[in-house]
Amino acid sequence: MKDRKKNTIIRIKGLTKRYDTVLAVDNLSLNIREGEIFGLLGPNGAGKTTTTLMLLGLTEPSSGQAFIDGNDCTRNPIEVKKTVGYLPDSVGFYPDLTGRENLIFTGMLNGLDREESGQRAERLLERVGMSYAADRKAGGYSRGMKQRLGIADVLMKDPKVIIMDEPTLGIDPEGMRELIALIRELSVEDGRTILISSHQLYQVQQICDRVGIFVQGRLIACGQIEELGHQLESEGHYELELSAFPADEGLRAVIEGIRGVGGLQEKEEKGNFRVEADRDIRRELTAGLAENGYAILELHQKGGDLDEIYRRYFEKAGEQDEISGGRKKRSIIKGFWRRKEGTPRE
């Protein structure tokens, strides 16, 4: 997405949170610009929720500071709450009230009179595509309907910043596309800043201007998705998807004989490999296979895919921790990826 040259609205410097012996957030520093959609990625226990709580003024940091629109999140939480809207992963409404009634109630809690609350609720229900269900009881809404109503609920106080926790989780594909389009509209048309905490990598890749990857309380990578991919390549991390024929015993030997190949994993289907290298080996690989009588059926270099970037940075963090004695931490990271890919847990 296009990089917006705007002022910083969320400023985090050295933010740290300890719970007894657990370091939940470790010296986090991060700036997020006005109108930006920023994705905060990481497994459970990575520190995302604790970071959100500190930004909302709901828990105090052990050290460091966070500011939203110039307001200290710890010292001025009331002012922060006027600026920030929060959409949790499971949106709760009064089930016996209609969608419209829930919004009007929220508006009145935020200082609007009943008439103004009703007018704003009407506009927002139309904007999020919920006018057709405005007078149904919220207890009968699907998850996708609740998420849309949740966005309308957040917008009732017209926030500059919206923090969303897993906004697309459990929503059908069509509802997901509509929700992503709505979130993008809030940023592009309204100029609102959106901070998304999510595991839904494909959806995050579609919508976010930048992403930050969290591991064990540390922000290990931050930037545009394309930039993170290029950074891995510049550090000697290249990965190829290769399919070749015939899928005989000599195929593996030819691939492994190419200078620069550091890892080779054959997939379930014969002749399909994931190749890791310390440089771009496509030209040598193509020539080597052709010289030995193999036909390339498919060959593409990975790196721009967020799922792959995510995995590589996790592995990189694990390697660094093992060097410094953090073998347990590396085990946690590997375990996360085994579960994510559907393999049994040890």
Side-chain angles (χ1 to χ4, degrees):
M1 285 193 176
K2 186 178 180 180
D3 186 22
R4 301 181 181 88
K5 301 299 184 182
K6 295 188 176 181
N7 295 329
T8 295
I9 191 168
I10 300 177
R11 189 182 304 276
I12 303 171
K13 185 176 181 181
L15 203 63
T16 300
K17 181 64 178 180
R18 290 183 178 274
Y19 293 103
D20 296 325
T21 59
V22 177
L23 186 59
V25 177
D26 184 4
N27 195 33
L28 172 63
S29 293
L30 176 66
N31 290 331
I32 300 175
R33 298 182 292 273
E34 290 179 332
E36 184 175 24
I37 304 178
F38 189 92
L40 196 57
L41 310 176
N44 293 333
K48 304 188 308 297
T49 300
T50 302
T51 298
T52 297
L53 292 175
M54 289 189 284
L55 290 176
L56 294 172
L58 298 176
T59 188
E60 292 190 12
S62 303
S63 61
Q65 290 179 295
F67 298 87
I68 297 182
D69 199 25
N71 295 303
D72 189 309
C73 297
T74 303
R75 297 182 178 181
N76 301 305
I78 301 301
E79 291 302 313
V80 168
K81 288 178 176 64
K82 292 178 182 178
T83 304
V84 180
Y86 176 56
L87 186 69
D89 61 344
S90 182
V91 187
F93 294 103
Y94 291 103
D96 292 330
L97 297 181
T98 66
R100 186 191 310 276
E101 288 168 342
N102 271 284
L103 294 187
I104 291 173
F105 181 69
T106 295
M108 295 177 70
L109 285 178
N110 283 278
L112 303 179
D113 60 34
R114 179 173 287 277
E115 182 178 0
E116 189 177 359
S117 293
Q119 292 172 351
R120 186 173 294 185
E122 184 69 28
R123 292 194 302 270
L124 292 173
L125 284 164
E126 183 176 354
R127 184 173 190 185
V128 302
M130 285 291 291
S131 295
Y132 74 96
D135 297 311
R136 297 184 199 171
K137 289 187 176 180
Y141 283 4
S142 68
R143 181 176 176 86
M145 294 167 70
K146 287 180 179 178
Q147 288 297 90
R148 289 197 213 176
L149 187 65
I151 292 177
D153 188 74
V154 165
L155 292 174
M156 283 297 292
K157 66 175 182 179
D158 195 23
K160 291 183 179 180
V161 176
I162 301 176
I163 299 175
M164 299 180 171
D165 190 2
E166 298 287 4
T168 61
L169 189 64
I171 300 177
D172 64 84
E174 180 60 28
M176 192 177 297
R177 283 192 293 271
E178 293 173 354
L179 187 61
I180 286 173
L182 177 58
I183 294 172
R184 184 179 291 115
E185 180 184 302
L186 295 175
S187 168
V188 174
E189 296 187 10
D190 293 12
R192 303 181 199 272
T193 304
I194 315 291
L195 175 60
I196 298 176
S197 173
S198 180
H199 293 92
Q200 306 291 305
L201 302 186
Y202 177 68
Q203 288 74 35
V204 168
Q205 179 162 311
Q206 287 182 295
I207 194 173
C208 287
D209 298 300
R210 291 190 301 149
V211 297
I213 301 176
F214 247 42
V215 177
Q216 293 290 303
R218 292 183 294 114
L219 188 67
I220 62 170
C222 179
Q224 294 179 338
I225 295 168
E226 184 178 355
E227 291 174 349
L228 295 180
H230 289 327
Q231 183 178 335
L232 285 173
E233 290 179 357
S234 69
E235 295 173 355
H237 296 287
Y238 289 81
E239 186 163 324
L240 299 170
E241 292 286 348
L242 170 67
S243 177
F245 179 83
D248 56 23
E249 293 297 324
L251 178 57
R252 173 182 285 272
V254 172
I255 299 171
E256 290 178 331
I258 303 296
R259 185 176 62 85
V261 172
L264 183 63
Q265 180 181 346
E266 187 168 14
K267 298 184 177 181
E268 290 184 6
E269 188 176 347
K270 283 287 187 180
N272 288 266
F273 294 90
R274 187 177 80 180
V275 185
E276 295 182 3
D278 60 10
R279 59 190 180 85
D280 187 349
I281 61 167
R282 285 175 292 182
R283 182 174 297 178
E284 293 96 321
L285 184 60
T286 301
L289 289 171
E291 288 172 5
N292 287 275
Y294 293 97
I296 295 177
L297 304 178
E298 180 183 357
L299 176 64
H300 69 271
Q301 188 156 295
K302 301 186 70 175
D305 181 74
L306 181 56
D307 188 85
E308 182 59 27
I309 292 170
Y310 195 43
R311 183 183 69 84
R312 292 296 304 180
Y313 271 105
F314 265 65
E315 290 180 351
K316 182 179 174 182
E319 290 162 4
Q320 291 171 345
D321 288 328
E322 185 169 75
I323 291 171
S324 61
R327 297 179 186 274
K328 181 180 179 182
K329 193 177 293 184
R330 189 179 189 194
S331 176
I332 291 170
I333 295 168
K334 284 185 174 180
F336 170 74
W337 278 102
R338 280 196 294 270
R339 293 192 293 278
K340 184 177 182 297
E341 294 170 355
T343 51
R345 188 175 181 178
E346 290 181 356

